[in-house]
Amino acid sequence: MIIKPRGENIELELFHSLRVHKKLEVEDENNFAYLEKGWLGEKQFDLLLLGLPNECLILNNLLLKVNNSLFQIDSLLITQKKIYIFEIKNNEGDYFFKNDRLYMFTGKEIKNPLNQISRSESLFRQLLQDLRFNSIVESQVVFINPEFFLYEAPVKTQFVFHAQLGRFLKKLEITAASKVSADHIRFAEKLASMHITENPYSRLPIYTFEELEKGIACGRGCGCLDLEDTNRHTLICKKCKFIEDKESAILRSVGEFSFLFPEKRITLDVIYTWCKVIKSKRTIQKILSKNYDLVLLGRGSYYVEKEKK
Ligand SMILES: [Zn+2]
């Protein structure tokens, strides 16, 4: 039973929108690729856990705080006998292990996930004590990518490699088959309620409305901002030739604007500038009036979400 689903990754979605309108620094681009890859790996693992008996409890993507220390858990599995903490890694390529450190073949060292997971495990145990809940805790680092290979991997570690996943899950299935108690469920719900939601804007590169490249992003998601406004009702992407209804394209673009700039007001002038490709301001005004409520404030009039009736 899923007690806390993984939810959406707002930070990743913001990155997606932003990089269409701004050429990111290499470091930000790498950070985005890393986040996206990690997220895909976690989603894959979610599907695997869904195959377990329904008697166990699953909490995905938890950010918790104990004694002022924050720690994050990719997936937590509560079974009647044990609690499992999973750290999911989606690295691919060849790596080697030496003196408790992890290196890429280029010699570049990457963070050893065992350190990360032992910190999480220790903080999680403190949390168990605080909440007066008793259970065995076990943690595992799952390398989910079939293209990952670790040379000199120690025989006894908390690593689970892709080739071992099938057997690992079979074992889990047996553990997960005993029904959890009402206490377990209460405990899981308590944990879910303690989850801290991070501000998704905090780690994004800094950007301003002025510096971003304007234009409606292609509705097919080809990453192009160069659409053509050739007739009354549709827009055509110059790159992939995708044709989209003008109204839906404009509304998507307004949504994107609010997403990237939640503190800014939706005004006719701002949206006209933001959409760029739409020749007629009147068209934008019509579409905004139809889909939003206008707050009249003279020249500073702005649009807000329609009140749900
Ligand atoms: Zn396109």
Side-chain angles (χ1 to χ4, degrees):
M1 182 163 52
I2 295 184
I3 300 292
K4 182 187 174 296
R6 187 161 303 282
E8 300 297 312
N9 190 330
I10 307 288
E11 186 182 11
L12 211 51
E13 285 172 25
L14 279 165
F15 251 118
H16 265 291
S17 292
L18 184 60
R19 63 200 285 278
V20 176
H21 293 271
K22 178 179 171 154
K23 174 119 186 63
L24 300 184
E25 304 281 337
V26 177
E27 197 183 315
D28 292 324
E29 198 57 52
N30 288 343
N31 182 23
F32 165 72
Y34 180 78
L35 278 176
E36 187 168 53
K37 204 168 173 99
W39 184 251
L40 287 175
E42 288 163 24
K43 299 282 270 186
Q44 272 176 37
F45 190 69
D46 291 352
L47 292 179
L48 297 178
L49 286 190
L50 278 184
L52 292 179
N54 209 24
E55 275 68 28
C56 58
L57 309 173
I58 299 169
L59 292 100
N60 291 322
N61 191 24
L62 278 175
L63 182 65
L64 300 167
K65 196 182 210 174
V66 60
N67 300 333
N68 266 327
S69 300
L70 275 176
F71 66 107
Q72 192 256 339
I73 294 175
D74 288 342
S75 293
L76 189 82
L77 176 71
I78 301 178
T79 70
Q80 196 225 340
K81 293 181 191 124
K82 267 184 199 175
I83 296 179
Y84 295 87
I85 296 175
F86 295 111
E87 171 68 27
I88 316 302
K89 293 287 165 200
N90 197 9
N91 302 55
E92 62 179 271
D94 292 326
Y95 292 74
F96 65 95
F97 200 80
K98 198 177 168 187
N99 302 331
D100 276 337
R101 291 169 195 258
L102 220 78
Y103 299 90
M104 294 167 79
F105 258 40
T106 54
K108 187 176 184 255
E109 185 180 348
I110 60 162
K111 270 191 219 161
N112 182 353
L114 290 176
N115 298 337
Q116 193 182 341
I117 205 155
S118 75
R119 176 180 178 271
S120 299
E121 191 183 310
S122 147
L123 290 166
F124 186 75
R125 283 182 205 282
Q126 291 179 42
L127 193 62
L128 281 183
Q129 276 188 350
D130 289 353
L131 298 175
R132 294 196 172 79
F133 192 83
N134 231 327
S135 175
I136 301 170
V137 180
E138 202 176 297
S139 46
Q140 306 281 350
V141 177
V142 178
F143 287 98
I144 199 150
N145 198 312
E147 295 295 323
F148 175 80
F149 193 81
L150 185 62
Y151 286 88
E152 311 285 336
V155 177
K156 281 192 176 171
T157 53
Q158 294 143 293
F159 289 152
V160 181
F161 299 106
H162 186 269
Q164 301 172 310
L165 262 175
R167 279 169 288 147
F168 179 72
L169 284 163
K170 276 213 179 89
K171 267 199 236 163
L172 263 190
E173 243 172 67
I174 298 167
T175 319
S178 321
K179 203 167 175 50
V180 290
S181 67
D183 275 353
H184 285 95
I185 297 176
R186 261 196 303 276
F187 170 69
E189 282 167 350
K190 176 73 189 161
L191 281 182
S193 75
M194 290 170 80
H195 170 68
I196 297 164
T197 311
E198 257 185 319
N199 176 0
Y201 295 85
S202 63
R203 285 188 298 183
L204 285 186
I206 292 168
Y207 55 92
T208 63
F209 179 76
E210 288 70 26
E211 72 165 324
L212 292 194
E213 202 182 324
K214 312 299 186 290
I216 298 178
C218 166
R220 184 185 270 165
C222 80
C224 180
L225 277 180
D226 204 4
L227 309 189
E228 232 174 339
D229 181 8
T230 45
N231 65 41
R232 269 184 65 183
H233 299 294
T234 54
L235 295 170
I236 303 170
C237 171
K238 283 191 189 166
K239 191 171 155 196
C240 76
K241 307 293 172 210
F242 180 68
I243 300 174
E244 190 177 11
D245 172 66
K246 212 178 249 184
E247 179 165 339
S248 82
I250 290 173
L251 289 176
R252 186 162 40 76
S253 198
V254 176
E256 190 186 44
F257 165 79
S258 309
F259 187 44
L260 287 169
F261 299 100
E263 74 294 346
K264 283 201 193 310
R265 282 180 173 169
I266 302 169
T267 68
L268 177 58
D269 283 344
V270 162
I271 297 303
Y272 182 63
T273 309
W274 178 244
C275 290
K276 190 177 161 188
V277 62
I278 307 294
K279 289 173 192 147
S280 149
K281 214 182 213 182
R282 178 88 191 104
T283 303
I284 293 188
Q285 188 176 30
K286 264 202 277 186
I287 290 171
L288 283 175
S289 305
K290 184 176 148 197
N291 294 281
Y292 288 82
D293 283 335
L294 180 65
V295 179
L296 276 168
L297 212 70
R299 294 190 60 185
S301 297
Y302 59 97
Y303 294 87
V304 292
E305 293 276 337
K306 260 192 194 303
E307 262 186 60
K308 289 192 183 85
K309 279 161 193 151

